[in-house]
Amino acid sequence: MPERTESESRKLLRRLRDTLAAPGDGQARLDSITHHIADSMRTQVCSIYLFCDPDTLELCATEGLRRQAVHQTRLRLNEGLVGRVARTGRPINTANAPAEPGFRYMPETGEEVFPSFLGVPIQRVGEKLGVLVVQSREAREYSDDEIYGLEVVAMVLAEMAELGAFLGNGAQLSAHRLPLVFRGSTGQEGSAEGHVWLHEPRVVITNPVGDDPEKERARLTEAVAMLRQTVDDMVDSADLVSGDGEGVLEAYRMFARSRSWLRRMEEDIDLGLSAEAAVEKEQSHARAKLESTGDPYLRDRLHDLDDLSNRLLRILTGQGRNTGIPMPADPILVARNIGPAELLEYGRSLRGVVLEEGSVGSHAVIVARALAIPLVIHAARITSDALNGDPILVDGDTGLVHLRPEETVAAAFRDKIAMQTEAQKSYAGLRDLPAQALCGTTVKLMMNAGLMADLPSLEGSGAEGVGLFRTELQFLIRSRVPRRSELAALYLRVMDNARSKPVIFRTLDIGSDKVLPYMKRIDEPNPAMGWRAIRVGLEKRGVLQMQLQALIRAAEGRELHVMFPFVADCDEFYEARAMLMAQMEREAAMGHAPPTGVRVGAMLETPSLAFAPEAFFRACDFISIGGNDLKQFFFAADRENERVRKRYDTLSAPFLDLIEMIVNRCAATDVPLSFCGEDAGRPAEAATLAALGLRVLSMRPASIGPVKALLRRTDLAALKALIDTERAAGTVTLRPVVARFLGLT
Ligand code: PEP
Ligand code: MG
C-alpha cells in the first residue's frame, strides 16, 4: 500500500467537510464517512463505534462489515480491541489482531477475520466519544503516517459530533445529553439545584477542516504571537507588583515559546486541519497524558499547555468568556479551578460551585465557605461534560453532583433541600438562646471568619463573637500586599460590625497551602511542616509588624485580641508578643491612641506546645486549639490528602487524651481555652469536646444552629462519664458509642 500523502489526507478531510455540509440525516452522514475513509486509506473495512452509555460502545456505521450488525453490535469497555482503545485513549495498531490480548471475534459482523487492525479514539479535549477503526485483509502494520492521518480524521469526527452532525442516527452520540453523576469531595456543605454556568465555556469549532494550509499556518502564527505577547505582559506585570513572581509564570512563558508545540500544530494543519482544530488536537493529546501521569511536575506543565491552548483557541475563534449570554437565574458555577478573587466577584449570586480541582483548604473553598455556597471539589472532567444551561444538582454534604438528572433523582433531591430548609428554620428559633446543656454547663459558641462577607452571619447565627478571624484571606484575594491603611480600615469595619462582641484576630498564617500569588514561591519538600505562619512572621518581620500596627490603630479605644498561629515552641510566642508590645510603643510614640487593652493568645496546633512549660501557659492571655493542624500533626496525616486524612478519627481515645491534657493544663494555669478547628462545628465532635471541658467553640456560622441544638439536649457530664468508662475499658474508637449516646445513629 502506498504511503499516504498530505494531499490525500486533505482530500479526505474536504470530503468529510462536504458530507457535513450536505443535507441528510446523521446515519447517512456516518455511512458516507466510513465509505470515504475506507476508500482513501484503501482498506477493506472502516467502522465507527460510538458510546451509547458511559460503559458501552455501539457499532454505528461500517464499510466492509455486515450492515445488519450496525446498531446491533455492542461492546463493553473491557471487551475487545475496540474497548481497549476507548478505555486507554490510545491507538492499537497490529498485523495480527486475533493474537492481541482481549481480541473478541464478533460473528454478527461477518465471517471473515481481518488480521490488520488500526483503532484510534474519537475524542474531544479529553472527552471520549468513540473509536474509529480500519481493518484490512493483508497482514501488515499501519505506518506512522497512517496512524497520524487517522487520528486527524478522528479529530474531525469528534468536532462534527460536537456540532450535532450525527444526531438522529439511533445511538446517543453526544455525551452532552446523558444524565451523569460525579463523585467528588465536600468543599462546603449544603445542597443546591440550578443550571450550569461555565466559568470558561467550551470553544465551539465550526470549521475543523482547513482548505488552504498556508492561510491556516499564517493564522496560527499570528495567534501564537498574540498569545506570547499576553504571556510576556503577564510575567512583566507580576514582576512590577512584587519584584519576584517569576517561578510559575516563567515556566508558563517557556511553554508558550515551545517550538515543538508549534511544529506539531503545523503538521496537523498540513494534513488538512484548520488552525483551531490543530490546537485542539494537541490539547486532547495533552489531556490524555495528563490523565495518565502521576508526575507532579509533568502535570503542572500539561496544565500550562491546556491553559495556553484554551487561550489560543479564544484568540483564533474570537469566542470570549460567556459574552452576550445571560447568566441563568439559579447559576451553579462549573470550573476546572477558580481563584478566590474571581469567586468573590461572582459573590452570592451563585447557588453552588463545582470544581474539577481544588482542595479542602484552597482559597476558593475558603471563599465559598465565607459566602456559604455549597461546593464540591474533585468532580473529575465535569467541565468537558457540562454545557451552559444544563440542569444540575449539587450535594455539598456527600460530594455528589448530578448533571442533567432524571426527574426521580431531582424530586428526591428537592425533598432533601426542603428538609434542610426546615431544619434551618428550627435553628433560627434557637438563635438567642444559650448553648446550655442538660447538666447546666454553658458553652460559648463563636464563629470563624476572614472576609467582610462573613460578618452578616454574626447577627444571623447568634454567634457570641468571632473566635478566629483568618487575616490571611485579605492577603490571598489581592494581587499585591495590602497597604497598612487598607488593613486598618478593614479591621476597623470588622470590629464596628461586630459591635460589642469580641473579634480574635489571628495574624497572617501563610505558607503551606496558603501561598500568596505575589510572594516568591519557595520549593519545600513538605510545606505544611515548612516555612509558614509565625515562622514567616518572625523572619520577614516587616509584614507582621505592618499588620500589628494596622490592628493597633484599628482597635483605638477598644480591647484588641491578637492570636499568633502555629506556635510550636514557647519562645516563638514570647518573641511575637514582644514584637506586638514594641509596635504598641511605636504607635503610642507616633501619637496614635492605644487600644483600651490587649489580650495576646497562641494557637496550639502542634503536639509540642501541649508539653510546653507551665510558664508558657501562664504567659498566654488565652489559647486556642487549631484542631485541623493539631490533628494532622498528631496522626502524621496530611489534612489535604483525602486518602490518609479519613483514616484517623477525632473521636479516638489517643486524640481525646491529648485534648483532655490541654484542657487540664489550661485549667491548672487559669488560661481561657477555645477550640477553633473544623471539628468544633461537627455536632458529635463538638459535644465530645464540650464533655472534655472545652467551654468555647469557634466554628463556621452555619454549624452554630446544629451544634447548639445538640448541646441543649445533651447531658455533658453523662457523656464524659461514658467516654471515661470506654477509655478505661481500652476502647480506641469512641465514635460509635458517642454517636449512639447522642442519638445520631
Ligand atoms: C486549624 O488548624 O485548626 C485552624 C483553625 O487553622 P487553619 O485551618 O486556618 O490552618
Ligand atoms: Mg491551622
Side-chain angles (χ1 to χ4, degrees):
M1 180 185 289
E3 287 293 295
R4 285 165 55 70
T5 61
E6 279 176 23
S7 67
E8 268 177 292
S9 168
R10 281 212 297 278
K11 219 185 315 165
L12 172 58
L13 294 194
R14 266 203 294 272
R15 281 202 223 153
L16 298 189
R17 195 208 26 215
D18 294 345
T19 309
L20 177 65
D25 70 1
Q27 188 62 52
R29 284 186 175 134
L30 283 172
D31 292 343
S32 126
I33 286 168
T34 49
H35 171 76
H36 288 318
I37 297 173
D39 181 45
S40 166
M41 293 193 66
R42 285 159 222 174
T43 59
Q44 280 76 51
V45 178
C46 172
S47 313
I48 294 175
Y49 296 81
L50 294 166
F51 279 100
C52 53
D53 68 49
D55 300 314
T56 316
L57 288 150
E58 181 176 302
L59 176 66
C60 286
T62 185
E63 172 83 10
L65 299 182
R66 270 201 197 136
R67 293 252 154 202
Q68 295 90 311
V70 171
H71 298 305
Q72 299 305 318
T73 293
R74 289 190 166 191
L75 288 161
R76 309 286 292 173
L77 271 187
N78 54 3
E79 284 180 318
L81 302 188
V82 173
R84 200 164 100 206
V85 173
R87 203 171 59 244
T88 59
R90 296 212 189 90
I92 293 183
N93 176 21
T94 172
N96 188 2
E100 281 290 314
F103 174 79
R104 199 194 107 179
Y105 176 58
M106 292 172 286
E108 71 276 20
T109 59
E111 294 304 310
E112 201 170 353
V113 171
F114 294 91
S116 351
F117 174 103
L118 170 59
V120 299
I122 304 174
Q123 58 189 358
R124 187 183 184 274
V125 202
E127 176 197 347
K128 293 171 183 165
L129 300 168
V131 177
L132 172 62
V133 175
V134 289
Q135 293 170 278
S136 41
R137 224 166 264 139
E138 179 195 358
R140 68 175 196 95
E141 281 197 5
Y142 294 88
S143 68
D144 286 349
D145 282 350
E146 284 170 312
I147 301 174
Y148 191 56
L150 199 64
E151 282 179 331
V152 168
V153 171
M155 157 81 204
V156 172
L157 288 184
E159 288 307 325
M160 291 166 84
E162 177 72 14
L163 292 172
F166 309 134
L167 291 178
N169 85 324
Q172 283 279 18
L173 284 178
S174 170
H176 293 135
R177 319 179 124 233
L178 300 170
L180 290 174
V181 180
F182 298 84
R183 285 168 212 286
S185 315
T186 298
Q188 156 77 17
E189 287 89 355
S191 313
E193 176 177 13
H195 290 89
V196 169
W197 182 248
L198 288 166
H199 181 50
E200 297 196 316
R202 297 153 66 89
V203 170
V204 181
I205 296 181
T206 45
N207 59 335
V209 180
D211 276 327
D212 177 353
E214 285 311 312
K215 197 173 125 218
E216 295 301 316
R217 268 173 175 258
R219 286 181 64 225
L220 181 68
T221 311
E222 197 186 327
V224 167
M226 280 171 75
L227 174 77
R228 288 176 179 164
Q229 189 55 52
T230 6
V231 171
D232 286 349
D233 290 349
M234 269 168 65
V235 178
D236 293 347
S237 65
D239 275 347
L240 278 178
V241 166
S242 59
D244 47 37
E246 295 95 329
V248 178
L249 281 178
E250 261 317 324
Y252 195 74
R253 166 145 70 181
M254 260 171 52
F255 231 110
R257 300 200 159 272
S258 155
R259 280 295 317 157
S260 59
W261 182 40
L262 186 59
R263 202 174 46 243
R264 281 197 305 278
M265 293 190 287
E266 285 172 346
E267 282 166 9
D268 297 332
I269 288 177
D270 289 342
L271 284 179
L273 290 185
S274 64
E276 41 272 68
V279 176
E280 206 177 86
K281 178 167 178 292
E282 294 314 316
Q283 189 181 18
S284 291
H285 264 282
R287 280 267 177 108
K289 269 199 215 145
L290 190 66
E291 277 176 23
S292 62
T293 180
D295 176 343
Y297 178 78
L298 194 59
R299 285 187 71 83
D300 278 352
R301 297 291 73 78
L302 288 168
H303 269 310
D304 287 349
L305 181 61
D306 201 50
D307 194 39
L308 289 168
S309 306
N310 281 335
R311 285 168 189 266
L312 203 47
L313 281 173
R314 289 210 181 87
I315 296 173
L316 280 164
T317 60
Q319 292 170 30
R321 290 193 171 181
N322 282 328
T323 34
I325 320 165
M327 184 150 91
D330 50 5
I332 305 257
L333 189 81
V334 173
R336 253 201 18 231
N337 215 341
I338 186 168
E342 284 172 307
L343 189 52
L344 264 180
E345 251 172 58
Y346 283 108
R348 289 184 207 275
S349 62
L350 299 177
R351 289 269 178 100
V353 180
V354 183
L355 301 179
E356 282 187 7
E357 298 172 6
S359 65
V360 189
S362 67
H363 314 152
V365 174
I366 293 168
V367 170
R369 280 186 192 154
L371 299 171
I373 301 171
L375 176 139
V376 168
I377 54 176
H378 304 152
R381 301 168 42 89
I382 191 161
T383 55
S384 307
D385 291 320
L387 293 180
N388 263 338
D390 277 346
I392 183 169
L393 311 172
V394 182
D395 187 338
D397 304 328
T398 59
L400 283 182
V401 177
H402 299 269
L403 184 64
R404 300 177 287 265
E406 310 268 11
E407 193 41 43
T408 44
V409 176
F413 196 82
R414 278 177 210 127
D415 288 347
K416 181 178 160 170
I417 295 183
M419 270 164 60
Q420 283 176 342
T421 313
E422 272 309 300
Q424 285 305 333
K425 272 194 211 146
S426 75
Y427 299 143
L430 298 178
R431 201 189 64 174
D432 299 321
L433 299 175
Q436 187 173 33
L438 292 181
C439 53
T441 304
T442 301
V443 181
K444 191 169 179 176
L445 303 185
M446 302 180 81
M447 66 171 244
N448 295 346
L451 297 168
M452 272 314 290
D454 288 312
L455 269 294
S457 302
L458 193 53
E459 188 65 27
S461 66
E464 294 183 58
V466 178
L468 165 66
F469 191 90
R470 290 181 163 106
T471 59
E472 60 276 7
L473 295 194
Q474 295 304 325
F475 288 74
L476 286 167
I477 58 174
R478 285 181 162 76
S479 57
R480 55 168 176 78
V481 183
R483 279 188 280 275
R484 182 178 52 198
S485 55
E486 288 172 328
L487 287 182
L490 177 100
Y491 299 151
L492 179 64
R493 273 175 69 204
V494 170
M495 287 189 261
D496 279 348
N497 267 270
R499 303 216 179 105
S500 55
K501 293 179 178 174
V503 180
I504 298 176
F505 290 95
R506 172 176 79 182
T507 59
L508 203 54
D509 182 4
I510 48 163
S512 185
D513 58 314
K514 299 168 193 153
V515 182
L516 301 185
Y518 42 85
M519 243 183 99
K520 199 179 183 94
R521 189 185 277 268
I522 44 165
D523 264 333
E524 292 183 293
N526 233 324
M529 294 199 265
W531 198 57
R532 56 174 288 200
I534 193 73
R535 299 170 183 177
V536 178
L538 293 177
E539 271 180 45
K540 282 225 164 210
R541 301 172 79 89
V543 179
L544 181 55
Q545 279 168 344
M546 182 271 282
Q547 186 184 27
L548 292 172
Q549 290 156 11
L551 283 167
I552 295 165
R553 285 183 197 183
E556 172 187 333
R558 18 182 157 205
E559 189 163 58
L560 173 64
H561 302 255
V562 178
M563 173 160 84
F564 294 110
F566 208 65
V567 177
D569 176 306
C570 54
D571 282 342
E572 289 168 343
F573 175 73
Y574 298 144
E575 203 182 330
R577 193 183 51 176
M579 199 197 268
L580 171 61
M581 294 311 157
Q583 298 316 308
M584 291 278 290
E585 278 171 26
R586 174 186 182 274
E587 291 299 297
M590 288 179 73
H592 292 287
T596 52
V598 184
R599 300 189 57 75
V600 195
M603 280 190 81
L604 197 158
E605 305 190 85
T606 61
S608 63
L609 204 63
F611 297 91
E614 197 178 299
F616 161 74
F617 285 84
R618 293 196 186 283
C620 289
D621 291 325
F622 62 91
I623 288 178
S624 190
I625 299 177
N628 306 335
D629 276 314
L630 183 63
K631 198 172 143 193
Q632 81 165 334
F633 295 117
F634 185 71
F635 289 112
D638 185 345
R639 64 193 258 191
E640 296 292 321
N641 182 339
E642 290 290 305
R643 193 165 188 179
V644 297
R645 186 174 73 86
K646 289 192 172 144
R647 292 179 73 94
Y648 305 98
D649 194 359
T650 303
L651 300 188
S652 66
F655 191 64
L656 297 187
D657 286 354
L658 174 69
I659 297 290
E660 194 170 33
M661 179 185 122
I662 300 167
V663 168
N664 291 340
R665 294 206 70 188
C666 288
T669 45
D670 253 346
V671 196
L673 175 68
S674 66
F675 188 107
C676 63
E678 293 302 312
D679 282 324
R682 300 188 174 114
E685 284 82 341
T688 306
L689 293 168
L692 291 177
L694 273 145
R695 294 292 168 262
V696 183
L697 300 175
S698 191
M699 62 196 75
R700 299 182 207 173
S703 303
I704 289 181
V707 167
K708 192 187 278 188
L710 180 66
L711 289 177
R712 286 176 60 85
R713 58 180 166 82
T714 300
D715 182 334
L716 292 175
L719 176 58
K720 173 70 167 48
L722 173 75
I723 292 171
D724 285 347
T725 312
E726 290 292 331
R727 282 191 296 187
T731 309
V732 175
T733 312
L734 294 161
R735 183 170 295 277
V737 276
V738 168
R740 212 171 312 125
F741 176 88
L742 294 170
L744 297 175
T745 44

